[in-house]
Amino acid sequence: MLQEGLQLFHEAEQFGYALGLVRVRHFQPYLSGPIAFLSAAAQHTSALRLGTGVIPMHAEDPIRLAEELQTLDVLSDGRVEAGFATSMPEKGIHTHWHEQVQTKQDSWDTFDSFLDRIAGVPVETEPGTFLWGLPEGSPAITRPVSPTLHERIWYGAGSMHSVRQTAERGLKLQLSSVTEEVGTRFEPRQYEQIARYRELMAQLHPNRTPEVAVSRNILPLTGAASDEEFQWLVNFYTANIYPNGTGRPEFPVGGRFSHPATGTVDDTIEFLQHDVALAAADTLLVLAPFYSELDTTLSLLRLVAEEIAPAIRA
């Protein structure tokens, strides 16, 4: 799986994709070590920006994470685009994370400490502290220094509250699910979140360019062998998600989700063209179908790059 992931990143760059993100999951058969994987991906690509969607902050040490990401950013010539979430530890699994992060604010505090580190804010030191290889009195900052990494940090928001937290910190905005219920359809609610984010960024960080990425399931049916697999996914989402994006009672995942863009290629394009949140965003993140074979995923990415994305931009 990991080796195929590296090939996926390499091929996606050849198709013209600008950004590749990996999800992070602990204790599950998915990617748990994103920094190691992206370091390898940096050696298999030359221009593709490398990111996460998202790193759960409850499981991280802010100093060590800053050092790892700064090292990766230097090695990749400034291609890191790391996304985060201030999530809580997994329920029912006993780890030291539960002792360190007992409230949502604890997770935010850890995240803010990380942001300080990559921004070059030194940790507190006692007078006369000696740091080998540095002049006397040098600040204790995380190294290697990556001066612009803090400008390429994203936050994965799901509610208007987390949108505000993102804007207050001047971060880029990743949108996937909606974690609040306000009675509107999924896409219009995401549009409202984007509008609010841009408004707050203009007020709080007028010198920063706001950036928004939204993720979508794109599953066109073209008569290829992948149709059966994609139709299964379409049926899965249709069976588990109400028209407004809310999960049905038996759906084990909370929040609301976008319905997949599917049908013929023309149907898929039309669906995405009417997506008000996508139209308000800067970046479309194409979700690779879970459990798909590598060849199937590559064929999908090529189709999106060559036919669907150009039509949406037009």
Side-chain angles (χ1 to χ4, degrees):
M1 180 185 69
L2 293 172
Q3 292 295 338
E4 288 189 350
L6 295 178
Q7 187 177 346
L8 179 66
F9 269 52
H10 173 77
E11 296 293 338
E13 182 177 66
Q14 307 308 307
F15 297 158
Y17 284 84
L19 173 64
L21 304 182
V22 293
R23 284 176 169 166
V24 182
R25 294 287 188 273
H26 297 292
F27 308 117
Q28 300 176 35
Y30 305 106
L31 187 64
S32 59
I35 311 303
F37 176 84
L38 293 176
S39 296
Q43 304 303 307
H44 287 75
T45 57
S46 59
L48 189 74
R49 291 178 288 153
L50 308 167
T52 54
V54 289
I55 295 175
M57 202 62 210
H58 74 261
E60 300 295 338
D61 176 85
I63 293 176
R64 188 59 180 151
L65 180 61
E67 293 171 336
E68 295 283 3
L69 280 174
Q70 288 171 192
T71 300
L72 172 59
D73 199 46
V74 170
L75 285 172
S76 66
D77 295 326
R79 289 192 277 147
V80 170
E81 303 270 347
F84 294 87
T86 54
S87 56
M88 297 295 291
E90 293 81 0
K91 293 182 180 179
I93 302 177
H94 298 284
T95 66
H96 65 285
W97 300 334
H98 289 80
E99 301 173 4
Q100 298 173 345
V101 180
Q102 298 187 7
T103 67
K104 186 75 168 180
Q105 187 57 49
D106 291 337
S107 194
W108 277 110
D109 290 344
T110 302
F111 184 43
D112 285 335
S113 177
F114 162 77
L115 293 176
D116 283 344
R117 302 292 79 78
I118 63 171
V121 178
V123 297
E124 184 177 349
T125 57
E126 296 180 2
T129 298
F130 174 72
L131 295 171
W132 187 270
L134 294 171
E136 183 177 350
S138 294
I141 62 174
T142 52
R143 301 173 186 275
V145 175
S146 180
T148 62
L149 176 59
H150 69 284
E151 299 173 6
R152 288 175 273 118
I153 300 300
W154 301 71
Y155 186 80
S159 67
M160 202 63 82
H161 173 73
S162 54
V163 166
R164 169 174 279 279
Q165 296 284 343
T166 304
E168 287 179 349
R169 290 163 175 78
L171 307 177
K172 299 182 179 185
L173 180 66
Q174 283 183 8
L175 294 178
S176 180
S177 61
V178 171
T179 58
E180 57 191 355
E181 184 52 64
V182 292
T184 59
R185 287 181 61 87
F186 177 88
E187 291 82 2
R189 186 54 178 174
Q190 272 198 340
Y191 173 84
E192 292 171 357
Q193 292 176 345
I194 294 171
R196 182 58 175 156
Y197 166 73
R198 295 194 188 281
E199 178 186 4
L200 288 170
M201 286 290 288
Q203 294 174 3
L204 302 173
H205 302 278
N207 296 324
R208 294 287 300 275
T209 301
E211 188 169 347
V212 181
V214 299
S215 59
R216 293 292 185 263
N217 280 297
I218 302 177
L219 303 169
L221 306 176
T222 63
S226 59
D227 279 7
E228 182 177 353
E229 179 179 339
F230 288 175
Q231 188 63 61
W232 179 87
L233 281 171
V234 171
N235 294 342
F236 170 81
Y237 287 111
T238 301
N240 286 283
I241 300 175
Y242 287 117
N244 70 351
T246 305
R248 298 180 189 273
E250 63 274 14
F251 193 47
V253 182
R256 287 193 287 159
F257 306 85
S258 64
H259 283 270
T262 189
T264 66
V265 171
D266 288 342
D267 292 338
T268 303
I269 292 170
E270 183 178 7
F271 184 91
L272 294 170
Q273 286 175 331
H274 286 87
D275 186 328
V276 293
L278 178 57
D282 304 291
T283 299
L284 165 62
L285 302 176
V286 182
L287 293 171
F290 56 87
Y291 302 130
S292 286
E293 297 291 335
L294 177 62
D295 289 345
T296 299
T297 302
L298 289 176
S299 295
L300 172 64
L301 293 183
R302 180 186 290 275
L303 177 62
V304 172
E306 294 180 351
E307 297 187 39
I308 296 176
I312 297 172
R313 284 196 293 264

